[in-house]
Amino acid sequence: MKDSSQDTGAPPPPLDGIATAVLDAHGSVLHCSDTAAALVGRTASEVRGHTVFRLLTDASKHEWRLTRGPAGGRAALRPRGGGAVEVAFRMLPFDGGTGFFVIAAPARWATDWEQGGAFLHALLVQDRIGISIRDRDLTAVRSNMTPELFDGPAFPPGSRLTDVMSALDAEAVRAVLRGLLETGVPLVGHEQRLRSPQMSGRQWYLALTSVRLQDAQGNATGVATLVSDATAQRRSRRYLELAHRASVRISASLDVTRTAQDLVDVLVPALGELGWVNLAEAVLRGDEPPKVVGGGDLQLRRTAVASADGPWPGALLQPGTAVPPYRGTANLWNLQHGGAVIYDRESFLALPADPDLARVLVPEHGHSAVSAPLFARGLMLGSVTIWRTEQSDAFDREDAELLAEIASRAALSVDNARRYTREHNAAVSLQQRLLPRATTDTPAAETAGLYLPAGGGAEISGDWFDAIPLPSLRTAFVVGDVIGHGLAATATMGRLRTAVQTLADLELSPDEVLTHLDDLVSRLAAEADPAQQDTVGSTCLYAVYDPVDGRCTLASAGHPPPVLIGPDGIGRLLDATPGPPLGVGGLPFETTVVDLAAGSVLALYTDGLIHRGGLDPDVGMRRLADRLTEQARRGSSLDALGRALLADDAGPSRDDIALLLARTRLLPEEATATWEFPADPAVVADAREAATRQSAVWGLDDATIFTTELIVSELVTNAIRYASGPVGLRLMRETALICEVSDSSNTQPRLRRARTSDEGGRGLFLVAQLSTRWGSRYGRHGKTIWAEQALPPTPPPPFPT
């Protein structure tokens, strides 16, 4: 026999392992079962007739039991071959003291039976953990699950799964328990939703731990399941996940509307089936909200909405719509003072000042709502409201506290986005106010300028464009890009644009303009904080177009080349030699001269346009030329062409974009007249006569002809007196009459007031009085003095009769 200390595995069923014997009054064995004889390693016939005490290892300890009536306990049997077998026994006396009936079993089996029974009893009588024992058909055999256990349905003996839970839930439980019966693999901590058909709308979440029950031969006889209520834990876990998801997602944007939408998207459907965010109209503009308490017009706007069932219901207040005035209720007062509020349908219907508007505020099947304010720095920016339309449970204080916590965090993100909007709007407004008019129309060209701030939350930068009318019908086209972002870059841009306009008025060549700008940027860098000196700089492209000869002269300071679209509609990059960016210093700038046909389109831009989508600059410039070609062939206006470029599908640019488009014109040949005279005082009369004759051809009035004659006379006389070589005279007629006199001298003409005794010195003074404006410019070989007279507008043609 095996020693009693050895583990023989699971005990047999209790009745299969019981040993029995009948003793007379003196303890002799009258009868015994084979099981009893096997305990001592003998047959039943060998045991009969012997006293039971001969079979015990210590008989003296048990002899007294023969005189004491019913008794039981533990004893050690002496089996054949030595050793000891411990048994648990019970002695039951017969009536009249004629003998005893003895029941015994191995002690280890008895211990298992006792502990198993005690364990099962302990489980069945406690009220914190449910236990359910089901047979192979999953019919309940024993259970302690009463309605009081989890405030849910009972699991009475004889009940089937479909009797206590919905068909879907029953099928899910049946599947996992059938798998357990087949495989024997325990089911540990399985979370299962439970919806009771007897309690419509209620649901619980239970944690199931199940094991297979089997007989001594290992055949499955059923399942035992321990059940604990996981509803609260699941809710807490879900709320923690919701709070974490909200903290991560809501702070990802610096756009007020996007932040509000992220908030309501996090809450629906996690907390309810419908939700919205109302924000103060001032917040959407970047301003602080008004401090309003009580009812009335709260100046709110429906900013973001979310629906778990698809599109936002058309019967409810739509996004972007103003929220109607509210009545002053206790719930509204609590909300305005920072508390989350739970509403039922009736209390929410009482909010609108106009009862007819209640239908746009309350969902059709909404029965419970919770609202929380968006408070930041003592300001109520708005509120968030969640409705339940399908979940039968009403919102409770735990829901309200969760929403209040999420709303308080979201309010900081909304306020950050609001302040960014305010600063960004201010910077963009400053940037746009520093830029010129979007469109210009001059005899030289029609222009359209567009500016697009950076997308994706980046700050604005110092991109700018300009179209500057110059004397003699010419126009300067400028585009530049200051290094860096923010107000500092915008301020630098403003200073550079002012400097460009001043230098343009001096009628310097493009390379000279850039040289002076380079010096200015170097001075700005020297004035900056030492840690920021390396960040002060700019690129710039400056071009001057003359509509008389169609010639465009341009120079670049580290700027991308312009794109030219000829009358044939094909775009190409101009081969302009770039110089160093402004502020580098020490290197010259080169000019490039291009002849432009009438109707050509010149596109000047900043590098944000060619870097969109992360393109390589060369690829971006070729793509830009192709898109300009495509749009130009459609016959689009300049403004439409520019907007099409900025609305490109390459995605938002991380840098600002400035774009200047110019469609060039040529002055008709009959609108100009040119002469050249030798440097002889006698030719002054010839110059006057030529100017008078041309003015008459153009049909100018007598007063204009007389003024022109005086201006030509004075300018030609000064050129002959102070210069050498031939003198050029050119008249141009457009919206003004322009007189130009060129000579080979580089002497700067000066306007002065002559004394009474002076014989000369009144020529330029007289020209200045007779003309609208005058000036001079220098070329490679001498200078040109010009004077401009305003012409009366050309009368419209007579109305046909």
Side-chain angles (χ1 to χ4, degrees):
M1 286 184 67
K2 293 182 180 180
D3 187 85
S4 63
S5 63
Q6 292 177 318
D7 186 4
T8 59
L15 295 181
D16 292 345
I18 295 295
T20 59
V22 177
L23 308 180
D24 61 15
H26 303 287
S28 296
V29 178
L30 301 178
H31 303 281
C32 71
S33 66
D34 291 339
T35 303
L39 289 176
V40 292
R42 293 177 171 82
T43 64
S45 60
E46 293 175 332
V47 174
R48 282 195 295 272
H50 297 280
T51 65
V52 72
F53 304 111
R54 293 181 57 188
L55 303 176
L56 300 176
T57 59
D58 189 358
S60 60
K61 294 170 54 177
H62 301 284
E63 289 181 355
W64 60 271
R65 297 181 185 276
L66 296 178
T67 62
R68 292 290 185 91
R74 303 262 174 147
L77 299 178
R78 181 187 302 116
R80 179 182 293 173
V85 176
E86 186 176 2
V87 296
F89 68 92
R90 180 75 174 172
M91 296 180 62
L92 302 174
F94 293 127
D95 291 341
T98 58
F100 300 90
F101 183 74
V102 180
I103 303 173
R108 60 182 181 277
W109 293 353
T111 300
D112 287 341
W113 296 332
E114 292 172 357
Q115 291 177 345
F119 178 66
L120 179 60
H121 176 74
L123 287 176
L124 289 172
V125 299
Q126 55 79 43
D127 59 359
R128 300 294 298 275
I129 301 175
I131 181 170
S132 174
I133 299 177
R134 295 182 177 271
D135 59 19
R136 287 185 54 85
D137 295 330
L138 302 182
T139 301
V141 177
R142 298 189 69 178
S143 174
N144 70 335
M145 297 181 65
T146 63
E148 292 77 18
L149 186 61
F150 301 135
D151 191 26
F155 287 67
S159 63
R160 309 279 295 179
L161 292 174
T162 52
D163 297 333
V164 295
M165 60 185 72
S166 68
L168 287 177
D169 298 338
E171 183 58 35
V173 175
R174 184 182 294 111
V176 296
L177 294 184
R178 285 294 182 194
L180 171 63
L181 283 170
E182 293 175 4
T183 64
V185 178
L187 183 70
V188 179
H190 174 74
E191 191 173 276
Q192 175 63 47
R193 180 174 62 178
L194 172 63
R195 291 166 292 183
S196 171
Q198 288 82 26
M199 302 178 180
S200 178
R202 291 288 304 279
Q203 66 177 11
W204 299 261
Y205 285 88
L206 304 179
L208 310 180
T209 297
S210 299
V211 294
R212 182 172 70 178
L213 302 178
Q214 56 191 30
D215 57 20
Q217 290 72 39
N219 299 317
T221 60
V223 292
T225 302
L226 296 180
V227 182
S228 59
D229 190 356
T231 305
Q233 293 89 332
R234 176 184 172 86
R235 185 179 188 182
S236 298
R237 185 172 64 251
R238 183 167 59 93
Y239 282 2
L240 285 175
E241 293 173 353
L242 179 60
H244 173 71
R245 189 163 66 249
S247 64
V248 171
R249 180 172 179 179
I250 295 172
S251 60
S253 174
L254 285 174
D255 180 81
V256 173
T257 302
R258 181 69 261 171
T259 302
Q261 188 64 53
D262 287 342
L263 170 60
V264 73
D265 285 344
V266 165
L267 297 172
V268 175
L271 204 58
E273 288 74 37
L274 286 170
W276 63 69
V277 174
N278 296 331
L279 292 180
E281 295 179 352
V283 171
L284 298 174
R285 300 191 300 267
D287 299 328
E288 290 190 351
K291 296 181 179 179
V292 179
V293 177
D297 185 1
L298 304 182
Q299 302 178 33
L300 297 174
R301 192 163 293 274
R302 181 66 48 86
T303 306
V305 299
S307 170
D309 300 324
W312 184 248
L316 295 179
L317 199 66
Q318 296 301 301
T321 308
V323 177
Y326 284 164
R327 288 192 180 98
T329 64
N331 281 336
L332 181 60
W333 189 93
N334 290 334
L335 189 70
Q336 292 171 337
H337 286 78
V341 178
I342 298 174
Y343 299 91
D344 55 24
R345 186 179 183 87
E346 288 69 25
S347 60
F348 209 96
L349 287 171
L351 277 178
D354 184 353
D356 294 335
L357 294 176
R359 56 183 175 80
V360 303
L361 296 177
V362 180
E364 181 180 1
H365 300 294
H367 63 86
S368 180
V370 59
S371 295
L374 297 173
F375 256 97
R377 298 184 303 107
L379 300 173
M380 184 174 173
L381 310 176
S383 63
V384 54
T385 300
I386 305 297
W387 275 93
R388 283 182 176 169
T389 58
E390 296 180 6
Q391 300 181 45
S392 60
D393 294 346
F395 286 110
D396 55 24
R397 290 314 307 174
E398 187 176 353
D399 296 319
E401 290 170 3
L402 172 67
L403 182 61
E405 179 183 353
I406 294 176
S408 66
R409 297 179 182 179
L412 295 177
S413 297
V414 171
D415 192 52
N416 288 337
R418 177 194 67 81
R419 289 191 287 178
Y420 170 80
T421 300
R422 180 187 61 193
E423 295 174 6
H424 190 265
N425 288 345
V428 170
S429 178
L430 174 61
Q431 176 92 341
Q432 292 175 337
R433 286 179 179 273
L434 290 174
L435 293 175
R437 289 183 303 169
T439 60
T440 63
D441 194 351
T442 67
E446 170 196 4
T447 67
L450 298 97
Y451 170 74
L452 181 67
E459 295 180 283
I460 66 162
S461 62
D463 293 14
W464 90 93
F465 62 85
D466 217 338
I468 307 172
L470 299 177
S472 302
L473 305 179
R474 298 171 305 141
T475 298
F477 306 129
V478 192
V479 67
D481 185 356
V482 173
I483 294 175
H485 296 83
L487 292 177
T490 301
T492 301
M493 179 273 288
R495 298 176 73 173
L496 289 181
R497 180 171 179 252
T498 301
V500 170
Q501 290 181 323
T502 301
L503 295 171
D505 286 341
L506 297 177
E507 300 189 69
L508 302 176
S509 63
D511 57 327
E512 291 180 289
V513 170
L514 294 183
T515 300
H516 287 288
L517 286 178
D518 184 58
D519 294 337
L520 173 60
V521 173
S522 297
R523 290 198 300 272
L524 293 178
E527 295 171 359
D529 185 275
Q532 299 177 348
Q533 289 180 351
D534 292 339
T535 64
V536 178
S538 176
T539 64
C540 184
L541 180 70
Y542 186 88
V544 176
Y545 174 68
D546 189 339
V548 176
D549 55 14
R551 182 159 297 173
C552 181
T553 305
L554 55 94
S556 171
H559 205 81
V563 177
L564 174 63
I565 306 173
D568 57 0
I570 299 177
R572 62 185 178 90
L573 292 167
L574 291 182
D575 188 14
T577 303
L582 299 177
V584 174
L587 295 174
F589 299 98
E590 298 184 26
T591 58
T592 301
V593 179
V594 183
D595 291 327
L596 304 182
S600 299
V601 175
L602 194 64
L604 288 72
Y605 53 90
T606 55
D607 58 3
L609 186 59
I610 60 176
H611 288 158
R612 298 180 80 175
L615 294 177
D616 177 81
D618 292 335
V619 176
M621 286 187 287
R622 290 196 298 270
R623 186 174 186 273
L624 173 61
D626 293 341
R627 286 190 57 80
L628 280 168
T629 299
E630 176 187 346
Q631 293 297 324
R633 287 177 175 173
R634 296 179 180 178
S636 304
S637 65
L638 290 183
D639 184 68
L641 193 156
R643 294 186 184 281
L645 291 178
L646 297 188
D648 198 342
D649 57 2
S653 173
R654 296 295 299 177
D655 195 5
D656 287 19
I657 297 175
L659 174 65
L660 178 64
L661 300 172
R663 180 174 283 121
T664 61
R665 294 169 174 149
L666 281 177
L667 203 64
E669 291 184 6
E670 61 271 15
T672 62
T674 304
W675 302 270
E676 186 174 277
F677 302 100
D680 184 352
V683 303
V684 175
D686 296 337
R688 287 199 302 266
E689 181 182 353
T692 301
R693 186 169 54 252
Q694 184 62 48
S695 297
V697 171
W698 284 336
L700 302 181
D701 59 62
D702 293 341
T704 302
I705 294 175
F706 178 72
T707 302
T708 303
E709 184 180 1
L710 289 178
I711 291 174
V712 168
S713 177
E714 292 298 332
L715 293 181
V716 172
T717 298
N718 284 346
I720 294 174
R721 178 177 298 176
Y722 299 110
S724 60
V727 175
L729 172 63
R730 183 168 71 168
L731 295 180
M732 292 176 286
R733 180 186 185 278
E734 223 289 333
T735 55
L737 180 63
I738 302 165
C739 174
E740 292 183 343
V741 176
S742 303
D743 59 54
S744 59
S745 173
N746 288 325
T747 304
Q748 172 69 39
R750 291 189 304 111
L751 179 65
R752 68 184 180 87
R753 186 178 296 276
R755 293 189 297 270
T756 305
S757 57
D758 291 341
E759 295 183 1
R762 297 176 177 84
L764 283 181
F765 180 79
L766 182 60
V767 170
Q769 298 301 311
L770 294 175
S771 61
T772 305
R773 58 177 183 159
W774 73 279
S776 65
R777 64 178 178 272
Y778 293 90
R780 297 185 180 278
H781 308 287
K783 69 177 182 299
T784 298
I785 302 177
W786 56 269
E788 185 177 299
Q789 301 176 69
L791 293 178
T794 303
F799 191 79
T801 59

